[in-house]
Amino acid sequence: MAQASGMDPLVDMEDERPKWDNKLQYLLSCIGFAVGLGNIWRFPYLCQTYGGGAFLIPYFIALVFEGIPLFYIELAIGQRLRRGSIGVWRTISPYLGGLGLGCFSVSFLISLYYNTVLLWVLWFFLNSFQYPLPWSTCPLDLNRTGFVQECQSSGTVSYFWYRQTLNITPDINNTGTIQWKLFLCLVACWATVYLCIIRGIESTGKAIYFTALFPYVVLTIFLVRGLTLPGATEGLTYLFTPNMKFLQNPRVWLDAATQIFFSLSLAFGGHIAFASYNPPRNNCEKDAVTIALVNSMTSVYASITIFSIMGFKATNDYWRCLDRNILSLTNEFDFPELSISRDEYPEVLMYLNATQADRLAQLPLKTCHLEDFLDKSASGPGLAFIVFTEAVLHMPGASVWSVLFFGMLFTLGLSSMFGNMESVITPLFDMGILPRSIPKEGMTAICFTLQSGSYWLEIFDSFAASLNLIIFAFLEVVGVIYVYGMKRNIFPQERRSSTQAGCRSPVYSCPSCPHCGSHQLLWLIYCTSTDRGGRIHIRKVV
């Protein structure tokens, strides 16, 4: 492995490379890219599914040994070599150019379908300005003598989502027609993205102040309101009560590591692109730890907010279940109206079961347990467009809360789109393939606006990124360790090893062993690739 000749990459791009106006713009851009829709509708679901507070243990272990080291590598190589994902890996070795191309391709595909989620959010956001909300009641049938039967059987929110929004077909084989209302929303979303990135980081850096900070304002508003609602305490208790038995399930640890990986947007190339606009001597080690911790704390903060509202929804559903049963008992046994309260219902039910069991058995009574309603979990679009949307209906001033909620989701998605677009555009600009005058909104994917669009999005989401990104991240580790070399230093004046700098492996006395298991390997990357100034040691090789 020979060292390439030529100019230092630090010098040949120092003058013409755009720069952030200030450090805050860069931090907010990385936070906006990392903190996305998954923090709102994926992390709370995992906490609920895997033992509440117990899930936080593997989550933060994965953050320390997987998330921060890999995240630090991406920031460091982007800042040091000042190129996009393709240029960075080609600079380290021409043989790694395919790695950068892979990250670029995945980001391109994700940009296509991620904006489809934004168009759904925009559609709900625009409909939120109506009173009453269009998903609060069923529409009238063709004869206008009653309500649509499908809506009555499925529920108003589910009917609005599947029939009036998606107008979904039975399966993917039936593609259906273009939904023009969704197509117009898709054009509006791409136009918004284009206006924000039209001048690169100069315009993105201005927009990020709003798109990155507005979600925290809305989350705080929802949290304050949610904590005042009945059932909020039950929701939070259910969320964070630890069940340590779940930690024996390997699936819990795998999902925790996966959540960290995708939550930080590792291997997309967006963070490499953002870091490439930094000064080469910026302390990216501190940035990596700060951004990763903010991202994780945002997930926890969002979980508290979401489940305070979910507890309120579960309590309302539980009360309605009791009220229906009480009404059945009142009609069957001729009790005076309002003579049975919710608190007295269990005692009355036990008394009737002991004295008139035959008549009681004939009634269509439902089993009502608050825990059963809290167990009804959902993730992804199901949480945002069905479960949480239904919860908002029970809140006073539902239209206002709906506007805030979907406005927050739109800004969250918009911030993530900035990173996705930088992952695509920056490498093309660096290689001179894409002139800066080319409109970036030309990547609109019309297939997602078909009646079968949700099926296509699910296919893209399942196969376009998940396994590919994990492979790319592994190749990034291999590239840094074996191609670049763990002990090589590009700064001739700073020939200190990581051991001299005081960074030692906590498990093995030899910090250069590359075969110590995945967790040890990540620790070695973190220790041996940095010095006290937070700089990664990379040299140009062929």
Side-chain angles (χ1 to χ4, degrees), residues 304-376:
I304 296 174
T305 303
I306 292 296
F307 271 89
S308 65
I309 306 295
M310 291 295 99
F312 164 69
K313 176 184 180 298
T315 301
N316 268 277
D317 292 341
Y318 171 64
W319 286 347
R320 287 192 296 174
C321 180
L322 291 179
D323 291 341
R324 287 192 296 266
N325 287 353
I326 291 174
L327 181 61
S328 298
L329 294 179
T330 301
N331 294 336
E332 176 67 24
F333 296 100
D334 295 327
F335 289 125
E337 190 175 356
L338 303 179
S339 61
I340 305 176
S341 66
R342 292 165 180 163
D343 295 332
E344 296 171 345
Y345 169 76
E347 297 179 4
V348 174
L349 186 63
M350 290 179 60
Y351 172 76
L352 294 175
N353 193 38
T355 58
Q356 304 188 50
D358 294 338
R359 292 179 63 185
L360 188 66
Q362 297 176 1
L363 298 178
L365 299 180
K366 302 293 184 181
T367 302
C368 301
H369 295 296
L370 180 60
E371 292 76 13
D372 293 338
F373 293 101
L374 289 171
D375 281 335
K376 293 181 179 179

Side-chain angles (χ1 to χ4, degrees), residues 232-479:
T233 303
E234 287 77 5
L236 295 179
T237 301
Y238 180 84
L239 174 64
F240 288 113
T241 300
N243 187 347
M244 296 302 179
K245 293 182 179 179
F246 279 93
L247 297 182
Q248 301 175 7
N249 184 359
R251 183 72 189 184
V252 177
W253 296 82
L254 177 62
D255 282 349
T258 303
Q259 176 64 19
I260 282 291
F261 184 89
F262 290 106
S263 179
L264 285 174
S265 301
L266 298 173
F268 282 80
H271 291 300
I272 293 178
F274 282 147
S276 69
Y277 303 118
N278 271 337
R281 306 296 178 179
N282 174 63
N283 189 346
C284 57
E285 179 182 1
K286 181 179 178 181
D287 295 343
V289 174
T290 300
I291 296 168
L293 290 178
V294 169
N295 174 70
S296 297
M297 291 300 104
T298 301
S299 297
V300 176
Y301 188 57
S303 298
I304 296 174
T305 303
I306 292 296
F307 271 89
S308 65
I309 306 295
M310 291 295 99
F312 164 69
K313 176 184 180 298
T315 301
N316 268 277
D317 292 341
Y318 171 64
W319 286 347
R320 287 192 296 174
C321 180
L322 291 179
D323 291 341
R324 287 192 296 266
N325 287 353
I326 291 174
L327 181 61
S328 298
L329 294 179
T330 301
N331 294 336
E332 176 67 24
F333 296 100
D334 295 327
F335 289 125
E337 190 175 356
L338 303 179
S339 61
I340 305 176
S341 66
R342 292 165 180 163
D343 295 332
E344 296 171 345
Y345 169 76
E347 297 179 4
V348 174
L349 186 63
M350 290 179 60
Y351 172 76
L352 294 175
N353 193 38
T355 58
Q356 304 188 50
D358 294 338
R359 292 179 63 185
L360 188 66
Q362 297 176 1
L363 298 178
L365 299 180
K366 302 293 184 181
T367 302
C368 301
H369 295 296
L370 180 60
E371 292 76 13
D372 293 338
F373 293 101
L374 289 171
D375 281 335
K376 293 181 179 179
S377 58
S379 66
L383 176 63
F385 299 114
I386 298 179
V387 177
F388 201 88
T389 302
E390 184 177 348
V392 168
L393 287 177
H394 302 305
M395 299 172 63
S399 296
V400 176
W401 296 110
S402 183
V403 168
L404 287 175
F405 177 66
F406 289 108
M408 175 191 69
L409 292 184
F410 189 78
T411 54
L412 277 173
L414 200 60
S415 298
S416 298
M417 276 299 297
F418 294 163
N420 288 330
M421 294 303 295
E422 283 295 333
S423 306
V424 175
I425 296 172
T426 300
L428 298 180
F429 284 162
D430 290 345
M431 295 185 295
I433 297 176
L434 180 68
R436 296 186 180 271
S437 59
I438 295 295
K440 293 86 177 175
E441 77 277 14
M443 297 192 302
T444 302
I446 302 178
C447 68
F448 298 119
T449 63
L450 295 169
Q451 289 178 269
S452 59
S454 61
Y455 298 123
W456 289 106
L457 186 140
E458 187 174 350
I459 290 176
F460 271 69
D461 189 40
S462 300
F463 300 104
S466 54
L467 180 61
N468 296 331
L469 291 176
I470 294 175
I471 294 175
F472 295 153
F474 173 76
L475 293 177
E476 287 182 358
V477 174
V478 172

Side-chain angles (χ1 to χ4, degrees), residues 3 8 20 30 48 97 110 127 143 152 205 277 321 323 387 405 413 424 535 541:
Q3 185 173 356
D8 191 322
W20 298 101
C30 289
Q48 180 190 22
I110 290 176
N127 279 277
N143 298 327
Q152 290 182 310
Y277 303 118
C321 180
D323 291 341
V387 177
F405 177 66
V424 175
R535 296 181 289 268
V541 295

Side-chain angles (χ1 to χ4, degrees), residues 70-114:
L70 286 173
F71 188 49
Y72 174 70
I73 285 178
E74 293 202 351
L75 295 186
I77 59 176
Q79 175 179 300
R80 182 67 181 93
L81 300 182
R82 300 175 66 77
R83 287 175 170 85
S85 57
I86 297 179
V88 157
W89 296 110
R90 289 179 62 185
T91 299
I92 293 177
S93 171
Y95 298 108
L96 291 177
L99 173 57
L101 184 61
C103 297
F104 164 85
S105 301
V106 169
S107 294
F108 176 78
L109 294 176
I110 290 176
S111 297
L112 293 182
Y113 76 79
Y114 198 90

